[in-house]
Amino acid sequence: MTASPHASLPELLHAAVTAVGGTERPGQAAMAEAVAGAVDDSSHLLVQAGTGTGKSLGYLVPALAHGGRVVVATATLALQRQLVERDLPRTVDALQPLLRRKPQFAMLKGRSNYLCLHRLHEGVPQEEEDGLFNQFEQFESSAPSSKLGQDLLRMRDWADETETGDRDDLTPGVSDRAWGQISVSSRECLGATKCAYGAECFAEAARERAKLADVIVTNHALLAIDAIEGAPVLPQHEVLIVDEAHELVSRVTGVATGELTPGQVNRAVRRAAKLVNEKAADALQTASETFERVMELALPGRLEEIPEDLGYALMALRDASRTVISALGSTRDKSVQDEDVVRKQALASVETVHDVAERITQGSEYDVVWYERNDHRGGSAFRQSGASLRVAPLSVSGLLREKLFTDRSVVLTSATLKLGGDFNGVGASLGLAPEGTEGEDIPVWKGLDVGSPFDYPKQGILYVAKHLATPGREGTRTDMVDELAELIEAAGGRTLGLFSSMRGAKAAAEELRTRLDKPILLQGEETLGELIKNFAADPETCLFGTLSLWQGVDVPGPSCQLVIMDRIPFPRPDDPLMSARQKAVEEAGGNGFMAVAATHSALLMAQGAGRLVRAMGDKGVVAVLDPRLANARYGSYLRASLPDFWYTTDRNQARRSLAAIDAAAKADGK
């Protein structure tokens, strides 16, 4: 097909691949053609593109050739950086002579991701005292000893240098607490016209750049906010590309989840107390105390019906918050220094309390409500911070179908979208009817698996430890740890251990550190970036961890030749949201376990197995130390979701293969 009046799509793709120093792949070319076709006929496309395909150019080139405005939403900072700092600059320069125009691109994130100059210069509004507290003043005369103080002064210096004000451009990064001192949410922002620093605002500048850009790179969270909140935050666009699309449902769910804690409500009370009349303040204070007493007795778990005492507490919070919001809207207290800022922060806090309390009291059948507790806290801190009340949508599929697939062509891509042999499982979670379904108001879509340049059957082995005992909910799995030790010895280290819980990862690390002479790194003992760097630098090193390692490790070469999964990562049976979703599918006549638990596990396992082969020369073993993958009826579905590795349940074969790979790596000096 012709991509532009001046050059064909293959010519454009060749120019772009050459510019970024890559290699043209058949899968990449097939993906580019499919994306161009979907954009041309305003349909939707799900593309599974394995590691090494070059999927970024597979969608960027046809999108740039189309000429309309494109939004690219990604899940991770790493991919956003790759797109904005590497792929887009080189691709745009390479395509300019062929397109006879130079597409512009920009990054856009939520407001709290940008440094707020008003907050930086005027200080943080404090609910304990009138006016603003300049957090930098206490560190002016001497070097701060605390990490927070050091970060604050470093951020102030960075503010004079940065062109973007983007948190992700601050290296090294800082804690959420430190960043919170110089950032605001959209609700807290004064607005460009009212703020003394509006003309210099980094967030507003990013929005203006996005309005002029042909390609806007954003994140899943901002895409979710754009869809959920009604007021558009993204410019109008003809094409939406969702990369790392396997993450989209969980990111949208996160944005659509509300939370109330006693500490959060108390902060709202303190912020509003000095700005409204005594009667309104007292009502909110009384409601807050009632809510806190209820939360002290909260037991973790789903609330299928709202208990009477909680219902009264929430209605009191809702009504008192509504009164305070009305009062804040008319209050102008000139005795309060910079009153607009203090009022805006108070309003944001009280509105959040009101909105969540009202949502729960309305009792929608499409919401799930539950108590959550963090048992590592004690004393009053446990009561203040450890108990939370949460509400989340039972499903986001209807929301996505309505908001995502309307008035634009949508391309969703990832290395893991095809589960159990087809795209329908992921499609259903996105609100799509089975592929090929036709009807009024049903989004038309198709799925395409462009494969991978890797020869998985020759580069990797999937070993399932069929002889081990089935994992239980509690207790140490001695046979699993023994098996793990033998495999690591055979591999000569070189092991990424993916565990279904942090407790399991820690127990295995502690035990194997006493048995083996290999260094074992454990997630949480250092920053994730530092751990991955150290793991990659020393082939004898092992790295153990949980969820973020299943998806966030890219270590090609001999340092990662054994990927261990301790068990199938099913959701916890007591996970309120997952169990509610599973029950809803069953009540509708479906298979709740397969639709929810098995799909969740298949996505995670596919991502985890993808850590093994990251380059053409990589070889190794993915070892799953859970016999259910071989023995259970759902095992074939999960295996069909993994890369097409050579499959075995022979433990001796797995050890021999690992030893041979280790010997070859050592012979090569690796």
Side-chain angles (χ1 to χ4, degrees), residues 220-385:
H220 288 181
L222 193 65
L223 178 63
I225 291 168
D226 187 72
I228 291 169
E229 297 196 350
V233 292
L234 292 170
Q236 284 290 322
H237 50 280
E238 292 77 48
V239 180
L240 170 64
I241 296 168
V242 183
D243 204 340
E244 302 167 312
H246 62 278
E247 287 274 11
L248 183 62
V249 168
S250 65
R251 300 298 171 101
V252 173
T253 299
V255 169
T257 297
E259 181 179 32
L260 278 181
T261 69
Q264 169 196 357
V265 176
N266 285 334
R267 280 192 298 277
V269 171
R270 291 195 299 270
R271 287 170 176 170
K274 295 188 176 75
L275 300 172
V276 298
N277 63 68
E278 187 176 345
K279 183 179 179 181
D282 286 349
L284 187 57
Q285 176 69 47
T286 301
S288 171
E289 291 169 356
T290 303
F291 177 67
E292 184 169 352
R293 285 195 297 273
V294 172
M295 294 300 286
E296 286 176 358
L297 303 175
L299 296 175
R302 183 184 178 189
L303 301 173
E304 297 203 40
E305 292 185 2
I306 303 302
E308 188 176 16
D309 57 348
L310 177 61
Y312 283 133
L314 290 173
M315 285 189 285
L317 273 181
R318 177 199 63 193
D319 296 343
S321 297
R322 185 184 296 134
T323 301
V324 169
I325 290 167
S326 297
L328 284 170
S330 59
T331 297
R332 288 294 183 274
D333 185 354
K334 298 304 180 185
S335 68
V336 179
Q337 178 192 358
D338 219 333
E339 188 267 343
D340 263 347
V341 181
V342 178
R343 181 181 143 297
K344 192 77 174 181
Q345 185 184 45
L347 193 59
S349 294
V350 179
E351 282 178 342
T352 299
V353 171
H354 171 270
D355 292 351
V356 178
E358 183 174 56
R359 178 177 172 186
I360 296 174
T361 55
Q362 283 178 342
S364 169
E365 63 180 305
Y366 302 110
D367 271 341
V368 180
V369 181
W370 72 96
Y371 284 130
E372 202 164 279
R373 301 205 77 134
N374 297 318
D375 293 332
H376 62 276
R377 295 184 176 95
S380 61
F382 176 82
R383 289 194 299 273
Q384 289 289 320
S385 305

Side-chain angles (χ1 to χ4, degrees), residues 405-464:
F405 299 99
T406 306
D407 301 328
R408 59 188 168 188
S409 177
V410 182
V411 175
L412 301 110
T413 184
S414 166
T416 49
L417 288 180
K418 192 176 180 181
L419 303 180
D422 62 44
F423 291 91
N424 289 331
V426 170
S429 71
L430 297 166
L432 297 172
E435 186 175 3
T437 304
E438 296 182 4
E440 190 176 349
D441 297 328
I442 295 178
V444 176
W445 69 280
K446 66 178 180 179
L448 174 67
D449 181 1
V450 300
S452 167
F454 303 140
D455 189 346
Y456 285 125
K458 291 185 178 178
Q459 290 184 254
I461 295 172
L462 172 62
Y463 162 57
V464 180

Side-chain angles (χ1 to χ4, degrees), residues 31 160 166 237 244 280 323 364 398 419 464 514 553 590 604 614:
M31 178 178 181
D160 294 331
D166 186 336
H237 50 280
E244 302 167 312
T323 301
S364 169
L419 303 180
V464 180
T514 67
V553 178
L604 263 183
R614 310 296 297 176

Side-chain angles (χ1 to χ4, degrees), residues 3 5 51 69 82 119 162 167 170 173 196 213 245 436 473 497 526 542:
T51 305
R69 178 175 282 152
Q82 177 188 316
R119 181 68 60 92
T162 179
R167 178 180 182 175
L170 176 61
R473 289 191 63 186
E526 182 53 83
C542 303

Side-chain angles (χ1 to χ4, degrees), residues 46-214:
L46 271 64
V47 185
Q48 177 161 291
T51 305
T53 303
K55 64 177 168 38
S56 297
L57 293 186
Y59 60 69
L60 284 178
V61 170
L64 289 167
H66 172 66
R69 178 175 282 152
V70 179
V71 168
V72 179
T74 75
T76 63
L77 170 62
L79 183 54
Q80 289 172 36
R81 283 194 179 280
Q82 177 188 316
L83 290 172
V84 173
E85 297 176 6
R86 178 178 178 267
D87 292 351
L88 275 166
R90 297 180 188 182
T91 300
V92 163
D93 287 344
L95 298 190
Q96 182 179 2
L98 300 172
L99 295 175
R100 299 187 184 177
R101 56 184 170 83
K102 186 173 184 178
Q104 302 298 307
F105 57 89
M107 175 94 82
L108 182 62
K109 303 176 183 177
R111 189 172 294 276
S112 61
N113 290 279
Y114 298 97
L115 181 155
C116 172
L117 291 170
H118 191 288
R119 181 68 60 92
L120 178 79
H121 293 300
E122 307 299 337
V124 182
Q126 296 292 298
E127 55 267 24
E128 290 79 13
E129 61 188 76
D130 286 342
L132 301 176
F133 166 67
N134 193 314
Q135 67 274 46
F136 299 100
E137 289 177 357
Q138 61 180 306
F139 303 124
E140 293 287 352
S141 57
S142 60
S145 57
S146 70
K147 180 71 164 61
L148 176 62
Q150 293 166 3
D151 283 344
L152 287 174
L153 292 188
R154 182 160 62 86
M155 289 190 296
R156 186 184 62 179
D157 293 339
W158 172 71
D160 294 331
E161 305 166 1
T162 179
E163 295 181 2
T164 65
D166 186 336
R167 178 180 182 175
D168 293 325
D169 290 340
L170 176 61
T171 305
V174 296
S175 67
D176 289 345
R177 182 185 175 201
W179 184 255
Q181 305 297 301
I182 62 163
S183 67
V184 296
S185 67
S186 57
R187 276 184 165 176
E188 294 172 314
C189 175
L190 290 172
T193 56
K194 288 187 177 181
C195 179
Y197 302 89
E200 309 162 71
C201 177
F202 290 115
E204 291 298 323
R207 288 192 172 201
E208 290 304 312
R209 286 193 295 270
K211 289 178 183 177
L212 300 174
D214 302 285

